[in-house]
Amino acid sequence: MMRALAAEFSKLKRSRMVLWTVLVILGYTSIGLAVFPVIKDSIGSMAGGASSPVGDAFAAAGMTEISWETAMRFIAMGVSGAWGIMLLSLITAYVFGRELREGTDIASATLPISRGSFVVAKMVVIAVWSVGLGLLAVAAQVGVDAIYLGLEGFAWKYVLQAVADSLLALAPIYLTLPVVAWLSLSRKGYLRPMLFALVMFTISTSLVGLDAAAYFPWSMPVAAVGVTWMPLASELPPVSWLIATALFAIGLIAVLRKVNRAEIAA
Amino acid sequence: MPTDTREVVIRTEGLTKHFGDVHAVEDLNLTVRRGEVYAFLGRNGAGKSTTIRLMLALIKPTAGSVEILGHRMVPNAIRALERIGSMVEAAGSYGNLTVRENLELQRKLLGLRRGSWVDEAVELCGLEEYLDRRVDTLSLGNKQRVGFGRALLNKPEVLILDEPTNGLDPVGIADVRALIKRLAAERNVTVFLSSHILSEVQQMADTIGIIHNGRLLEEIGYEELRRRNREYLELRVSDTKRAAWALEEKCGVRDFVVIEGSAVRVYSGFDRAEEYTRSLVEAGVGIISAHMSEENLEDHFVKLTGRGSGDEAAETPAEKTGGSQR
């Protein structure tokens, strides 16, 4: 197992996909510099008696000013409403699908290591990659906030809360990824898994503000931490985690069955 | 022929693979013994690669079984795979890694100690000058070398190679051929390889299995094939009908055939060649040429599989090097 794990990390060396995902996070976070003034105006106009949809939503979430505390909440909402599903699905499609596209799946299947070990190792790689991106998003947001707000009002507790919220948003998405992995193994290329991710992303955003969001694994992050245009968060009930964990287990079993019974080079 | 007492290393029994209506491999029974170089010869689409995939449990047989080194080949046949080196398709290396990194990755995956294993594979495959180049910048032939190097890393008892010289230049082909012969001779490595290149097979195989339309048509030792192939005197003549009459009536020859209306092949009585030509001239037959030939593997292959579309093995002029004309 450790051999497979070490190998899976080695395979990422010089991989452009790592660079691209980092750039997506940095690019998305830096948009905050342009968005904050707009949000500040909406909040400001609401304080002046006017009403705006964004301002109303933020007021409902208790975000009545742009401060370190509120600004750091945008990170987890970025995971749930922007890059989480699509980027993590892309990573999964890459980690599993590249082997088929490059023909290295055959070489892996002829090694004296169980095929299941590679699946588990890949899922660990995806987990580390996902958490890494979450932490990068937090670090980048600290930079953006420092530029926009200065260091006045900064506190580590906001950073820690942002890390916790990001992980809370990433966790249900991660639990859906074996389904993407299964799709990646079923067909070469990224198209099918990414189309699937896009559909799930669309459904998840359409459930924003609805109770049902807490029971559909792809929209659980939306329910748990909110999204930038509806920053209302609520605690996920235990049954939500049960559903997401069941989906993960079913997906993983399907992937393991796929690789163990596969017509790898048919 | 004396019975071969060497241990059977690869055995397939009733191996069959259907893809829907396509019968890729049909009831394949073959045995490969320790230290043997077994070449699986067939046209494109004959079922060679499918057989190799079945052997490595990359695909599931419709029926039958494969046993290598006493282990039934099913997915995760770890004990067998520890002792097998293989190269399938364009070798499956990671393009974003250098040659050295690919070999190191393989070494780690195989759980081998650092050091001589990689160095030896590098030397055997002539990869010294490419070690620090990314694999995706290499030619197909050199990618093939990297794949070969990876297959050799665990010092396998059995090497299974799908079209191992694919994409190699003539020097590379000769190197691989020499390496395979050396591995078999010096290390007693059993080699099973597929090829559609006759000259390649002729020069290195101990046993040749000819596959066509998924069926093993013949499994013969190369020496046996050479014995079976017959020498003949080929006479290219102006009138084959008259030549046939002269040979039969004047010389009493029965063991001959007329080839495509332009030549006559006589399979016996070569010491009477002068008499044959004299008789033909006396009968008014013009002799354009006369020479001794040997029916070679290519002829044999074509005879077995017939000519047709996709018949690269029989039609590619560059591969027609097997004939021994005198």
Side-chain angles (χ1 to χ4, degrees), chain B residues 87 144-145 148 161 164-165 168 171-183 200 204:
Chain B
M87 186 174 74
Q144 199 81 346
R145 285 173 189 259
F148 210 171
L161 307 168
T165 57
L168 291 177
V171 175
I173 291 173
D175 287 349
V176 166
R177 203 162 48 220
L179 180 57
I180 287 173
K181 282 172 147 176
R182 198 172 131 198
L183 288 168
E200 177 181 294
M204 65 177 143

Side-chain angles (χ1 to χ4, degrees), chain B residues 207-268:
Chain B
T207 307
I208 297 163
I210 296 177
I211 184 170
H212 187 60
N213 290 339
R215 289 184 180 279
L216 185 66
L217 298 183
E218 196 163 10
E219 192 181 40
I220 45 173
Y222 185 60
E223 287 305 320
E224 190 185 335
L225 179 69
R226 287 190 70 85
R227 275 198 300 273
R228 194 187 301 182
N229 287 338
R230 298 177 68 188
E231 279 190 319
Y232 56 84
L233 171 67
E234 182 164 297
L235 299 160
R236 300 193 73 83
V237 294
S238 58
D239 183 344
T240 51
K241 261 188 182 172
R242 200 162 179 80
W245 171 83
L247 285 169
E248 210 166 334
E249 297 301 319
K250 292 197 164 190
C251 307
V253 176
R254 299 278 183 273
D255 193 9
F256 70 89
V257 293
V258 175
I259 305 294
E260 295 169 8
S262 63
V264 179
R265 282 183 186 172
V266 183
Y267 288 96
S268 57

Side-chain angles (χ1 to χ4, degrees), chain A residues 3-4 6-8 10-16 94 98-99 102-116 118 122 259-266, chain B residues 17 19 53 56-61 74-79 81-82 84 86 88-89 91-98 101 105-111 134 150 154:
Chain A
R3 281 189 272 157
E8 288 302 324
S10 298
K11 290 174 191 175
L12 294 179
K13 193 173 180 182
R14 262 181 252 109
S15 164
R16 284 188 187 152
Y94 172 75
R98 74 176 287 205
E99 304 273 0
E102 297 176 13
T104 48
D105 57 326
I106 296 171
S108 297
T110 54
L111 284 164
I113 294 176
S114 77
R115 296 177 188 180
F118 282 107
K122 284 180 193 302
V259 298
N260 281 324
R261 302 172 71 183
E263 302 282 286
I264 288 179
Chain B
K17 180 66 183 177
F19 296 105
R53 284 157 170 73
L56 292 167
L58 293 171
I59 53 177
K60 202 175 158 188
V74 291
N76 298 317
I78 308 291
R79 291 282 164 253
L81 290 171
E82 281 172 346
I84 298 171
S86 63
V88 182
E89 282 187 346
S93 299
Y94 292 90
N96 57 312
L97 303 182
T98 63
E101 287 164 349
L105 179 66
Q106 181 83 352
R107 181 189 65 74
K108 285 179 196 166
L109 283 166
L110 291 165
R134 281 171 56 143
R150 293 170 69 238
N154 60 337

Side-chain angles (χ1 to χ4, degrees), chain A residues 43-235:
Chain A
I43 294 171
S45 61
M46 195 181 67
S51 179
S52 75
V54 177
D56 292 347
F58 277 74
M63 297 170 76
T64 53
E65 59 174 351
I66 293 293
S67 63
W68 271 95
E69 183 182 6
T70 53
M72 291 301 280
R73 285 179 63 184
F74 284 100
I75 305 162
M77 291 191 284
V79 174
S80 64
W83 58 265
I85 292 174
M86 297 305 290
L87 202 56
L88 265 56
S89 295
L90 179 66
I91 289 168
T92 306
Y94 172 75
V95 169
F96 280 90
R98 74 176 287 205
E99 304 273 0
L100 276 85
R101 283 194 308 120
E102 297 176 13
T104 48
D105 57 326
I106 296 171
S108 297
T110 54
L111 284 164
I113 294 176
S114 77
R115 296 177 188 180
S117 296
F118 282 107
V119 171
V120 174
K122 284 180 193 302
M123 289 309 298
V124 172
V125 166
I126 293 166
V128 171
W129 198 336
S130 304
V131 170
L133 291 179
L135 295 177
L136 176 68
V138 173
Q141 187 71 46
V142 169
V144 166
D145 293 355
I147 292 169
Y148 188 72
L149 299 168
L151 289 175
E152 196 180 338
F154 170 82
W156 282 106
K157 65 177 181 182
Y158 302 141
V159 177
L160 293 175
Q161 187 60 49
V163 169
D165 288 347
S166 297
L167 294 179
L168 179 64
L170 285 167
I173 298 174
Y174 178 77
L175 294 174
T176 67
L177 296 179
V179 180
V180 179
W182 182 84
L183 283 167
S184 304
L185 290 172
S186 301
R187 291 283 185 276
K188 291 182 183 180
Y190 302 150
L191 185 63
R192 196 170 289 235
M194 290 317 293
L195 277 176
F196 174 78
L198 185 62
V199 170
M200 292 301 121
F201 176 66
T202 307
I203 295 172
S204 79
T205 51
S206 69
L207 293 175
V208 170
L210 302 177
D211 290 343
Y215 305 101
F216 183 61
W218 284 268
S219 60
M220 285 176 194
V222 165
V225 299
V227 286
T228 46
W229 68 95
M230 183 72 78
L232 292 171
S234 59
E235 195 175 337

